[in-house]
Amino acid sequence: MPLALLALAVGAFGIGTTEFAMMGLLPDVADDLHMSIPSAGHLVSAYALGVVVGAPLLAAATSRMPRRTVLIALMGLFVAGNALSALAPDENWLIAARFLSGLPHGAFFGVGAVVATGLVAPERKARSVSLMFLGLTVANIAGVPAATLVGQHLGWRATFLGVSAIGIAAVVSLFLLIPRTPGPVPGGGLRGELAALRPLPVWLALGTTVAGFAALFSAYSYITPMLTDAAGYGEGSVTPLLALFGVGATAGNLLGGRLADHAMRRTLFGGLASLVVVLAAFPVLMRTQWSAAAAVLLLGTAAFVTGSPLQLMVMEKAAAAPSLASSANQAAFNLANAGGAWVGGLTLAAGLGATAPALAGAGLAVLGTAVAGTAYAVDLRRAKRPAGPTRVIATHVPDRLEAMRP
């Protein structure tokens, strides 16, 4: 695989670290800036809002620029956002800085996925996307625990300065390893990019991402109370178990990329079906500590098997605007994050038990499978449409020639 994929993975590692590290730093940030924990939770929402807003807007605005330049600029914005977070004197500054940090997230992954697939042969496209996403999943194993540890011992500001340093390393890597393009990316400009998102198959692919990953976040957002209240783990054991989720996510990401290069649609359906089974089994698996640990591992694996197929599917359905479509898929992922957490929270508020969010997630995974099935049916119907007049004439010419042969 090309070394340029390493540069994309470094950027993904920094983005994954800053996205999820805030969860572990909330008490420290709240105490230092004299915020309540619920108010500090707005810092997580501000980042997610930045992703949703920035993903399509930045991708569309930079659609005619060389993609290498776009990636470097996006990572520069990421560095600035995290540096400003480290310098934040109050709550409002930090919320604005977190929003700024989130703006380049979706566009970086969107444009990066297009660059990654352009670096390899067609039969390795899904694998190239999975290698870029490897930085994101590894962040859950190493980056987030390390960032939390740094924050607890050196202060939360040191964590954001460290993430900024990772961003600078990514900028250097992108500058040195991503191939230069001779000029602007060809295309129809902003109007053409937006027009490419209109077809129904594009929206069905995005809908599959929302429903499928909402299933994950319905359960994962409340994994700590499941592990402590249902499985009987102590609070000090939760961090290593979350790293176990990262191991599963990394394995699922690599497996999904390899399988999707051979059968993208079957890999997607297989991943969604596995997610339904794993989430439905959570009430049983959370009864003992060893099976609860296995459940965390399997949850990461099943969910991230679908990552590369979904990214490629959206890009293929909007082939005239792959960067914008790919970035929109990242916005869909973050909508899934917020929506899944909301659905899971409703089940807890209703008093349905600690593992109820997982069962709600199983229902969302079934919904994702149904949306994916609808997308498949639409594709089949379009493929069976009668050929136009030009194609009919062309198919009859060989028959006439065959009849004229002696």
Side-chain angles (χ1 to χ4, degrees), residues 67-362:
R67 290 183 177 125
R68 177 177 180 269
T69 303
V70 173
L71 289 171
I72 293 173
L74 290 171
M75 192 48 59
L77 183 60
F78 170 82
V79 171
N82 282 280
L84 289 172
S85 296
L87 299 172
D90 55 40
E91 173 184 350
N92 293 330
W93 177 302
L94 187 54
I95 288 176
R98 288 295 290 170
F99 177 80
L100 180 65
S101 300
L103 285 175
H105 176 130
F108 180 87
F109 279 107
V111 177
V114 176
V115 170
T117 56
L119 293 170
V120 298
E123 65 272 13
R124 289 177 171 264
K125 283 186 175 183
R127 223 172 305 181
S128 71
V129 172
S130 71
L131 288 176
M132 181 187 70
F133 284 162
L134 187 63
L136 182 64
T137 57
V138 170
N140 284 282
I141 303 174
V144 174
T148 304
L149 192 63
V150 168
Q152 291 172 346
H153 289 82
L154 301 178
W156 62 270
R157 298 178 190 275
T159 294
F160 288 111
L161 288 176
V163 172
S164 295
I166 296 173
I168 292 172
V171 168
V172 174
S173 300
L174 292 166
F175 181 80
L176 295 176
L177 298 178
I178 298 295
R180 294 178 181 271
T181 52
V185 176
L190 179 57
R191 183 176 298 179
E193 291 268 324
L194 294 174
L197 295 184
R198 291 176 186 168
L200 177 61
V202 176
W203 289 98
L204 289 173
L206 292 172
T208 304
T209 296
V210 172
F213 275 95
L216 165 65
F217 286 110
S218 177
Y220 187 65
S221 300
Y222 305 97
I223 196 68
T224 296
M226 287 190 214
L227 292 170
T228 55
D229 298 347
Y233 277 104
E235 290 186 2
S237 302
V238 172
T239 299
L241 289 168
L242 295 184
L244 193 61
F245 172 85
V247 171
T250 300
N253 173 54
L254 293 174
L255 178 63
R258 183 170 291 273
L259 293 176
D261 277 330
H262 297 286
M264 183 172 64
R265 187 86 63 171
R266 278 183 286 175
T267 301
L268 175 59
F269 280 116
L272 288 170
S274 300
L275 191 57
V276 172
V277 172
V278 170
L279 288 169
F282 253 57
V284 175
L285 294 174
M286 285 291 162
R287 291 177 182 174
T288 64
Q289 291 189 348
W290 71 267
S291 59
V296 174
L297 178 69
L298 291 172
L299 177 62
T301 304
F304 278 85
V305 161
T306 65
S308 297
L310 282 170
Q311 193 75 23
L312 274 180
M313 187 174 297
V314 172
M315 290 166 61
E316 288 184 358
K317 299 305 178 187
S323 295
L324 180 56
S326 186
S327 300
N329 196 51
Q330 293 301 312
F333 179 88
N334 277 269
L335 285 174
N337 189 338
W342 177 71
V343 171
L346 289 178
T347 65
L348 290 178
L352 300 179
T355 58
L359 294 178

